[in-house]
Amino acid sequence: MLYQEEKINYKNHTITFRSAVDEDAPVLVDYLKKVSGETPYLLSEPEEINLTLEDEYRFIHKYNSSDSSLLLLAFVDDEYAGNCSFCGYSRIRERHRADIGVALYQKYTGFGLGRLILERLISIIREAGFKQAELTVVSTNGRARNLYEKLGFVECGRIPNANKYKDGTYSDNILMVLHIK
């Protein structure tokens, strides 16, 4: 699914939302490695990210050509800040559901960008006809969980000790759902 470029003024900054293009591939590969090292709230450690440019090109094309998935990039004053995506399920019984992922560089968290991009994504999910949006948040990520709850997501399950960190500690994954009207 493609998203027409949109620019908005927000807190004295120009925010741009758009779909990814091939020229974004090197930036996206680098971003995934960096953002994975900035936070314990993503699935992978930086050294686990072994994507090639060809892998990223395929990923971009897959999302851009899909009728039920979207990769939405965010820029602040023309600097890449992160992205948000959703992927619809293909099975008949699950086609009403959209799975969301979001990650921003840490320097752009706490600024309101996460809320802006998620509101855009939820609106697109609604317009695409989905009835339910779902996401997973790490239990120790209170800021993100608070944002999701403000947007209407509710906890619907928990996976205890879903994440084990290098220091031997664990965190749960909280499954959240938003029923779309």
Side-chain angles (χ1 to χ4, degrees), residues 20-37:
V21 295
D22 283 347
E23 291 77 20
D24 295 317
V27 172
L28 294 175
V29 170
D30 186 56
Y31 150 81
L32 193 53
K33 291 177 185 178
K34 286 181 181 172
V35 78
S36 294

Side-chain angles (χ1 to χ4, degrees), residues 2-10 13-21 24 70-85 102-104 108 111-124:
L2 291 171
Y3 188 80
Q4 181 86 20
E5 182 175 286
E6 174 187 18
K7 290 186 182 279
I8 61 170
N9 291 316
Y10 181 73
H13 295 278
T14 300
I15 308 297
T16 305
F17 297 124
R18 67 170 173 80
S19 291
V21 295
D24 295 317
L70 173 69
L71 173 61
L72 185 61
L73 307 186
F75 299 81
V76 176
D77 299 326
D78 295 322
E79 182 176 318
Y80 183 63
N83 67 60
C84 193
S85 64
V102 59
L104 302 174
Y108 293 110
F111 159 67
L113 181 60
R115 181 182 193 95
L116 285 176
I117 197 169
L118 278 167
E119 286 173 343
R120 290 289 183 293
L121 197 76
I122 292 166
S123 176
I124 295 163

Side-chain angles (χ1 to χ4, degrees), residues 28-29 32-33 48-56 59:
L28 294 175
V29 170
L32 193 53
K33 291 177 185 178
E48 295 177 292
I49 310 298
N50 298 312
L51 293 173
T52 66
L53 286 179
E54 289 72 28
D55 294 334
E56 195 62 30
F59 183 79

Side-chain angles (χ1 to χ4, degrees), residues 41-52:
Y41 305 133
L42 299 178
L43 290 175
S44 302
E45 294 289 341
E47 63 270 17
E48 295 177 292
I49 310 298
N50 298 312
L51 293 173
T52 66

Side-chain angles (χ1 to χ4, degrees), residues 79-144:
E79 182 176 318
Y80 183 63
N83 67 60
C84 193
S85 64
F86 78 86
C87 185
Y89 291 90
S90 61
R91 292 186 183 108
I92 292 172
R93 293 181 182 180
E94 298 178 307
R95 285 187 191 152
H96 64 288
R97 299 167 53 203
D99 186 42
I100 292 177
V102 59
L104 302 174
Y105 279 120
Q106 286 301 296
K107 76 185 232 180
Y108 293 110
T109 63
F111 159 67
L113 181 60
R115 181 182 193 95
L116 285 176
I117 197 169
L118 278 167
E119 286 173 343
R120 290 289 183 293
L121 197 76
I122 292 166
S123 176
I124 295 163
I125 289 169
R126 180 180 289 111
E127 289 170 14
F130 292 96
K131 302 299 181 197
Q132 186 166 296
E134 304 164 2
L135 55 79
T136 301
V137 62
V138 175
S139 59
T140 53
N141 192 350
R143 280 181 30 188

